[in-house]
């Protein structure tokens, strides 16, 4: 038995059987619904169910009971139980299709005890066209892919990545420690639907943990140079002050500006730290107990994103204006081809 799925904004329809998720059915039909992790962890594939019903094999982590009760569903986990009309609630910019490139390592620099700045140049002087907030995949053949967000702006010729070493990690520990300038990497880019939504025109709160700052840095490179951007508060959470590897850069950017505020937050600060302590999501709520007027951009640890999402919605944030880039550990749909 199959059901008809209609995506309102894209004016596209396709069939889905009960045995497949709506996202799987969309892919089979060549319809590109927004998605990232494909296992219910990031919330990118959330849509509003205008008509119809769905069920899940297990409750997906990135959908709160309140969101489900308000008619939202995650397409990567949802199975249709009837014909569906779904809404992404906005017209999405057509994504630039990812392409495979060969890139050379230009420079490497330790930014902290476990974060490396890796600067890449795409061969043949190609400048990568991407939307700030997007990521690339390092293509490792049978070892699959590893995703890293562009930390540089789209106007820059070189691509900058901030890579946190994962203990025992094949790429971030083994390969990266042996890498030298001049080495080459195959990459697939650009990828991902995370980025600034100009049409919201709401005060912006950005919250990141660790290297989750990378896509926000790329977005800020464009936003802080543009006119007519709402005020931005950037909260950056880390354990110790050593982990705040761009503290000076953001503190200087914020100095003397009324439209950009930088709030570093440490969860394991020593006595010398005079700034905000605790978790980044709690720091946001201490400043903004009512988030109903804000647009929120969350990047980094899946645990922070899940907690922040729940807490922010409980404090009035609308899921319609809540965007997340979750650094999930696996993303099996991205393995292969240019991705
Ligand atoms: C869209 C996206 C963008 C990302 N952007 C960045 C970025 O800009 N900078 C950055 O540093 N990271 C980023 N990540 C996370 C990064 O992709 C992983 O840390 C990386 O793939 C680990 O590769 P590895 O080969 O070293 O580890 P693997 O060999 O693949 O894994 C080794 C072990 O570590 C676990 N593991 C893997 N990744 C993580 C993790 N992130 N945290 C904790 N445990 C993990 C695995 O489950 C496994 O047990 C991003 C992830 C996604 C999905
Ligand atoms: S793609 Fe569905 S939750 Fe990540």
């Amino acid at each position: 038995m199959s059901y008809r799925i209609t995506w309102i904004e894209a004016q596209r329809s396709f069939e889905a059987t009960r045995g497949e998720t709506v996202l799987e059915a969309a892919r089979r039909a060549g319809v590109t619904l927004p998605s990232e992790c494909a296992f219910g962890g990031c919330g990118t594939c959330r849509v509003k169910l205008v008509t119809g019903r769905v069920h899940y094999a297990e409750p997906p982590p990135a959908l709160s009971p309140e969101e489900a009760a308000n008619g939202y569903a995650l397409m990567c986990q949802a199975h249709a139980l009837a014909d569906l009309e779904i809404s992404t609630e906005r017209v999405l910019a057509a994504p630039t299709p990812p392409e495979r490139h060969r890139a050379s390592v230009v420079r490497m620099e330790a930014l902290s005890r476990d974060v490396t700045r890796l600067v890449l140049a795409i061969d043949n002087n190609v400048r990568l066209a991407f939307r700030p907030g997007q990521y690339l995949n390092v293509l490792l053949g049978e070892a699959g892919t590893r995703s890293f967000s562009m930390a540089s702006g789209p106007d820059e010729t070189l691509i900058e990545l901030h890579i946190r070493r994962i203990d025992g990690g094949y790429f971030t520990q083994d390969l990266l420690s042996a890498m030298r300038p001049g080495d080459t990497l195959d990459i697939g880019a650009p990828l991902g639907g995370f980025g600034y939504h100009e049409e919201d025109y709401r005060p912006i709160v950005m919250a990141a943990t660790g290297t989750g700052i990378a896509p926000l840095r790329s977005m800020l490179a464009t936003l802080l140079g543009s006119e007519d951007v709402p005020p931005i508060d950037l909260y950056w959470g880390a354990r110790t002050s050593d982990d705040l590897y761009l503290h000076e850069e953001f503190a200087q950017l914020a100095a003397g500006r009324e439209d950009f505020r930088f709030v570093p937050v440490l969860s394991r600060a020593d006595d010398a730290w005079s700034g905000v302590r605790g978790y980044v999501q709690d720091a946001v709520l201490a400043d903004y107990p009512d988030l109903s007027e804000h647009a929120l951009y969350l990047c980094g640890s899946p645990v922070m994103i899940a907690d922040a999402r729940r807490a922010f919605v409980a404090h009035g944030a609308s899921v319609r204006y809540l965007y997340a880039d979750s650094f999930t550990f696996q993303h099996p749909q991205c393995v292969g081809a240019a991705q």
Side-chain angles (χ1 to χ4, degrees), residues 263-286:
V263 185
V265 185
L266 294 184
S267 61
R268 295 189 195 166
D270 60 20
D271 291 345
W273 178 249
S274 58
V276 181
R277 292 167 184 262
Y279 291 116
V280 70
Q281 58 273 34
D282 298 331
V284 171
L285 289 174

Side-chain angles (χ1 to χ4, degrees), residues 177-189:
S177 60
M179 205 173 283
R180 297 288 175 266
D183 288 353
T184 58
L185 286 174
D186 288 325
I187 62 166

Side-chain angles (χ1 to χ4, degrees), residues 307-332:
D307 280 359
R309 192 194 293 278
R310 263 192 302 276
F312 291 173
V313 168
H315 283 77
S318 161
V319 289
R320 179 169 179 172
Y321 302 107
L322 204 160
Y323 310 101
D325 191 18
S326 184
F327 287 5
T328 42
F329 304 168
Q330 327 93 334
H331 34 102

Side-chain angles (χ1 to χ4, degrees), residues 100 137-148 168-172 174-175 185-186 329-332 334-337 339:
R100 193 183 179 107
N137 271 346
V138 178
L139 310 176
L140 298 170
E142 287 185 357
T145 64
R146 301 294 186 277
S147 306
F148 299 99
Y170 174 64
F171 181 75
T172 63
D174 300 351
L175 295 191
L185 286 174
D186 288 325
F329 304 168
Q330 327 93 334
H331 34 102
C334 292
V335 175
Q339 309 190 12

Side-chain angles (χ1 to χ4, degrees), residues 184-245:
T184 58
L185 286 174
D186 288 325
I187 62 166
L191 291 159
F194 184 73
Y196 177 54
H197 286 263
E198 188 181 356
E199 70 281 7
D200 293 347
Y201 207 78
R202 293 171 152 238
I204 295 166
V205 169
M206 297 177 163
T209 49
T211 47
I213 199 71
L216 297 181
R217 181 176 185 264
S218 179
M219 288 163 65
L220 287 166
T222 308
L223 293 180
L224 294 181
S226 310
E227 288 181 3
D228 212 22
V229 171
I232 302 173
D233 284 24
L234 171 66
Y235 292 80
W236 188 18
R239 290 183 180 175
T240 67
S241 48
D242 178 61
D243 301 321
L244 294 174
Y245 58 87

Side-chain angles (χ1 to χ4, degrees), residues 53-311:
R53 290 177 302 122
V54 297
H55 81 101
Y56 302 97
E58 286 177 17
L63 188 74
S64 67
E66 294 78 20
E67 289 171 73
N70 284 326
Y72 289 93
L74 294 186
M75 294 296 92
C76 70
Q77 298 298 298
H79 296 256
L81 290 175
D83 289 348
L84 304 181
E85 279 184 299
I86 61 175
S87 167
T88 41
E89 296 194 312
R90 61 192 72 234
V91 180
L92 302 167
T96 308
E99 286 183 9
R100 193 183 179 107
H101 300 278
R102 171 68 52 93
S104 302
V105 175
V106 176
R107 310 200 269 276
M108 299 175 68
E109 179 193 345
L111 290 170
S112 71
R113 69 190 127 83
D114 62 354
V115 178
T116 300
R117 189 197 310 261
L118 179 66
V119 179
L120 300 174
I122 297 190
D123 285 4
N124 303 318
N125 294 320
V126 170
R127 179 181 290 180
L128 183 69
F130 67 93
R131 185 172 183 233
Q134 287 193 290
Y135 65 93
L136 57 74
N137 271 346
V138 178
L139 310 176
L140 298 170
E142 287 185 357
T145 64
R146 301 294 186 277
S147 306
F148 299 99
S149 305
M150 272 70 85
S152 39
D155 297 337
E156 296 171 48
T157 316
L158 301 177
I159 299 168
E160 176 170 329
L161 306 177
H162 299 167
I163 300 183
R164 180 168 72 95
R165 186 184 64 246
I166 302 294
D167 287 337
Y170 174 64
F171 181 75
T172 63
Q173 180 168 308
D174 300 351
L175 295 191
L176 199 65
S177 60
M179 205 173 283
R180 297 288 175 266
D183 288 353
T184 58
L185 286 174
D186 288 325
I187 62 166
L191 291 159
F194 184 73
Y196 177 54
H197 286 263
E198 188 181 356
E199 70 281 7
D200 293 347
Y201 207 78
R202 293 171 152 238
I204 295 166
V205 169
M206 297 177 163
T209 49
T211 47
I213 199 71
L216 297 181
R217 181 176 185 264
S218 179
M219 288 163 65
L220 287 166
T222 308
L223 293 180
L224 294 181
S226 310
E227 288 181 3
D228 212 22
V229 171
I232 302 173
D233 284 24
L234 171 66
Y235 292 80
W236 188 18
R239 290 183 180 175
T240 67
S241 48
D242 178 61
D243 301 321
L244 294 174
Y245 58 87
L246 295 179
H247 184 280
E248 270 317 293
E249 179 179 316
F250 287 118
Q252 278 182 20
L253 263 180
R257 292 187 78 121
E258 292 192 352
D259 57 348
F260 176 56
R261 196 169 145 256
F262 172 53
V263 185
V265 185
L266 294 184
S267 61
R268 295 189 195 166
D270 60 20
D271 291 345
W273 178 249
S274 58
V276 181
R277 292 167 184 262
Y279 291 116
V280 70
Q281 58 273 34
D282 298 331
V284 171
L285 289 174
D287 288 348
Y288 296 107
D290 177 0
L291 286 166
S292 57
E293 301 297 320
H294 284 83
L296 296 132
Y297 294 83
L298 313 177
C299 301
S301 124
V303 173
M304 178 280 279
I305 287 178
D307 280 359
R309 192 194 293 278
R310 263 192 302 276

